[in-house]
Amino acid sequence: MAFLEINGVRKSFGQQAVVQNFDLAIERGEFVSFLGPSGCGKTTTLRMVAGFESPSAGTIRIDGRDVTTLRPNQRNVGMVFQSYALFPNMTVAENVAFGLKVAKRPAAEIRARVEEMLTLIKLPELGGRYPYQLSGGQQQRVALARALAIKPQVLLLDEPLSALDAKIRVSLRAEIRSLQLALGITTVYVTHDQEEALSMSDRIVVMNEGRVDQVGTPFEIYNYPRTRFVASFVGTLNILRGKVVAPESGRITIDGQEVVAAVATKLGKAGEDCLVALRPEAVALVDASAGAGERNVMKGMIEDVSFLGSVVRVRVRFKESSVSLDTFNNPNVKPPQRGQAVAIGFARGDLLVIEGAEGG
């Protein structure tokens, strides 16, 4: 039995269903991210786990206990909000102690726990300050300490880093993950930032229009997307339209050039349209005269070159389609020029056949 179970959960506001048939089993100590665009239902699902919203259907269990109809204070969960939600009239120490005081814990226990939490978040000397005297990153650390102080069974984080600048986000997400691993606490993290989800999670739940599109490890989600939405939402992706030539051998044509997909199980019948995808890092400029061998080779023309610092992104145009590829910046090698005829190569296993080609 999983530690956190969400079974058949649905949530509607009036006639509008914002979460539909949500099923997920999370193991004890696992870090799971809900990833998706705004309005996909990820925060609503998190709020149902927290008890701030009631499901229209389905059940939620924590450690075997049905908490579906319980109020937030009846569930042993800690919540960290995007807006920090610290009490401005309370000191840092008082904010961290708030949940413990509500639970009527002994004063000595509260003092010890607050000291432990402030040390854990590396702010032991700031207990007497007020929230307005802290930076955004420090305020979010305090919000995290307040959520952890009650020793929750499940930690819930609703886009906790979105209000911070990029450099602080990177350092704080590493701290959150480090704390989660050290404490072994079951964690659900909501984000629309794919980099956050990929770098922090044991598993990712990709949501789209209230439904789960795919659940998997970061490696699986990025390298083996099951739908066009997942493929296009997670990472930079080249999506190309092709036509099936021989489905049994994975042969297709793209703009009249034949290529081979290693996994052909999703291809339709010969003559049918299909949708395939390539990650930019899977494509390289090659010598067309060397022959294809076991790699796919396509000929085209340089349409655009973008200098991105350590990476140079090159777009190669065929007829109707184009492919972007990434090369490392080398100051001793001149990048290709617009209008230059080139060939690209990529492994057969890197050509992903995407479900839902009819989706446009």
Side-chain angles (χ1 to χ4, degrees):
M1 178 183 295
F3 188 72
L4 172 59
E5 297 176 282
I6 307 172
N7 298 317
V9 163
R10 178 172 55 83
K11 179 63 179 179
S12 299
F13 294 104
Q15 298 298 314
Q16 183 181 6
V18 295
V19 177
Q20 307 177 58
N21 303 319
F22 191 103
D23 288 290
L24 185 66
I26 299 176
E27 299 302 324
R28 186 187 298 271
E30 194 174 15
F31 192 117
V32 174
S33 290
F34 293 171
L35 174 66
S38 297
C40 71
K42 55 189 185 296
T43 292
T44 300
T45 305
L46 192 80
R47 289 175 62 85
M48 286 190 284
V49 175
F52 296 120
E53 299 285 354
S54 298
S56 303
T59 59
I60 299 170
R61 289 183 172 84
I62 298 176
D63 198 16
R65 179 190 182 205
D66 190 337
V67 300
T68 310
T69 60
L70 298 182
R71 296 190 300 273
N73 64 337
Q74 295 175 313
R75 314 177 187 206
N76 189 14
V77 300
M79 183 88 172
V80 179
F81 300 92
Q82 177 180 341
S83 59
Y84 317 144
L86 297 176
F87 301 110
N89 59 326
M90 295 184 182
T91 65
V92 166
E94 289 169 341
N95 266 280
V96 175
F98 179 77
L100 298 168
K101 288 183 177 179
V102 170
K104 301 187 185 327
R105 306 308 302 169
E109 179 184 328
I110 292 175
R111 284 195 300 271
R113 185 63 173 165
V114 169
E115 184 178 340
E116 179 186 356
M117 288 295 99
L118 292 180
T119 300
L120 189 66
I121 62 169
K122 302 176 184 177
L123 298 176
E125 73 286 355
L126 300 185
R129 291 192 185 181
Y130 287 87
Y132 76 89
Q133 297 173 308
L134 305 178
S135 68
Q138 289 172 331
Q139 289 183 55
Q140 196 57 286
R141 285 187 180 92
V142 175
L144 180 61
R146 183 178 61 184
L148 292 171
I150 61 172
K151 298 183 179 179
Q153 290 178 295
V154 179
L155 177 63
L156 308 174
L157 302 103
D158 186 12
E159 302 203 41
L161 308 181
S162 61
L164 304 174
D165 66 55
K167 189 173 182 180
I168 294 176
R169 282 204 308 270
V170 172
S171 63
L172 198 50
R173 76 189 186 201
E175 290 183 33
I176 290 173
R177 180 56 163 154
S178 179
L179 281 174
Q180 186 268 335
L181 288 170
L183 298 173
I185 187 170
T186 307
T187 301
V188 181
Y189 188 99
V190 162
T191 183
H192 62 270
D193 187 318
Q194 55 174 297
E195 188 175 300
E196 280 184 13
L198 290 169
S199 65
M200 299 175 72
S201 312
D202 293 311
R203 283 190 300 157
I204 298 172
V205 180
V206 184
M207 296 184 65
N208 181 29
E209 297 182 345
R211 298 181 183 275
V212 175
D213 252 38
Q214 186 173 347
V215 180
T217 66
F219 181 87
E220 292 166 343
I221 293 292
Y222 187 87
N223 290 301
Y224 303 107
R226 294 177 186 167
T227 68
R228 179 177 184 176
F229 173 79
V230 176
S232 59
F233 188 79
V234 181
T236 303
L237 194 74
N238 299 295
I239 297 180
L240 305 168
R241 288 196 172 277
K243 189 172 290 290
V244 179
V245 175
E248 67 282 354
S249 58
R251 291 165 53 213
I252 64 174
T253 58
I254 299 172
D255 278 345
Q257 301 189 56
E258 186 170 298
V259 294
V260 180
V263 179
T265 55
K266 300 174 186 175
L267 288 175
K269 299 177 182 178
E272 290 184 345
D273 291 336
C274 64
L275 206 64
V276 295
L278 275 169
R279 297 286 184 195
E281 64 270 23
V283 187
L285 296 174
V286 298
D287 182 358
S289 64
E294 289 300 313
R295 290 173 62 82
N296 290 306
V297 173
M298 297 182 67
K299 296 179 180 180
M301 181 185 69
I302 299 293
E303 184 176 54
D304 188 43
V305 179
S306 300
F307 183 75
L308 305 176
S310 61
V311 170
V312 177
R313 179 155 291 175
V314 179
R315 187 165 69 247
V316 177
R317 167 67 59 178
F318 309 117
K319 292 179 181 178
E320 301 298 326
S321 305
S322 65
V323 164
S324 291
L325 61 99
D326 290 340
T327 63
F328 284 112
N329 173 39
N330 185 342
N332 299 313
V333 178
K334 188 177 180 180
Q337 302 299 303
R338 290 184 180 89
Q340 179 181 339
V342 294
I344 65 165
F346 50 91
R348 295 178 178 182
D350 290 325
L351 188 64
L352 307 173
V353 181
I354 303 299
E355 295 176 357
E358 69 280 3

